[in-house]
Amino acid sequence: QVQLVESGGGLVQAGGSLGLSCAASGSIFSINDMAWYRQAPGKQRELVARITSGGSTNYADSVKGRFTISRDNAKNTVYMQMNSLKPEDTAVYYCYAIIRIDSRTYTYQYWGQGTQVTVSS
């Protein structure tokens, strides 16, 4: 059983900063890509940032230059530092990972439970 457990998030004023972390636990052989998605009320879930096992990253245009995704492969953990937050960044943020549970199986997609980020104006 694999779980993604998120921490961080909360309430912050516009222009402030927050950090998110997400640790994968359970029966894990390897982790491919890890990512953060977000979903605002009434909107579809969208990709915020993604990082490969080798450290290559890509970001949504709306967060480039403000958010930074990173990972610690030894800890099976992905992080996201969010700076210069805007009210439009308010959403539930979800951790995502593509995980292989042993050397013989395909990879599976896993999601965290979500953590609320609220940016007040």
Side-chain angles (χ1 to χ4, degrees), residues 52-103:
T52 68
S53 57
S56 297
T57 59
N58 65 281
Y59 297 90
D61 288 343
S62 59
V63 307
K64 282 181 181 177
R66 300 188 298 121
F67 291 12
T68 301
I69 189 171
S70 61
R71 65 190 283 175
D72 184 333
N73 291 332
K75 295 182 179 180
N76 291 335
T77 300
V78 62
Y79 307 93
M80 188 160 70
Q81 179 63 35
M82 304 181 291
N83 299 327
S84 302
L85 283 160
K86 304 175 181 180
E88 51 263 44
D89 294 318
T90 295
V92 177
Y93 284 70
Y94 295 92
C95 176
Y96 166 88
I98 300 174
I99 296 174
R100 190 184 303 275
I101 61 173
D102 65 55
S103 61

Side-chain angles (χ1 to χ4, degrees), residues 3-73:
Q3 283 188 315
L4 300 182
V5 178
E6 298 146 346
S7 60
L11 174 65
V12 66
Q13 288 189 330
S17 299
L18 281 175
L20 303 178
S21 64
C22 171
S25 63
S27 179
I28 296 171
F29 178 76
S30 64
I31 303 178
N32 294 355
D33 292 5
M34 302 184 82
W36 290 96
Y37 285 74
R38 67 186 180 187
Q39 187 167 19
K43 295 188 176 181
Q44 288 189 328
R45 190 173 296 189
E46 63 174 359
L47 175 66
V48 178
R50 190 175 183 117
I51 184 167
T52 68
S53 57
S56 297
T57 59
N58 65 281
Y59 297 90
D61 288 343
S62 59
V63 307
K64 282 181 181 177
R66 300 188 298 121
F67 291 12
T68 301
I69 189 171
S70 61
R71 65 190 283 175
D72 184 333
N73 291 332

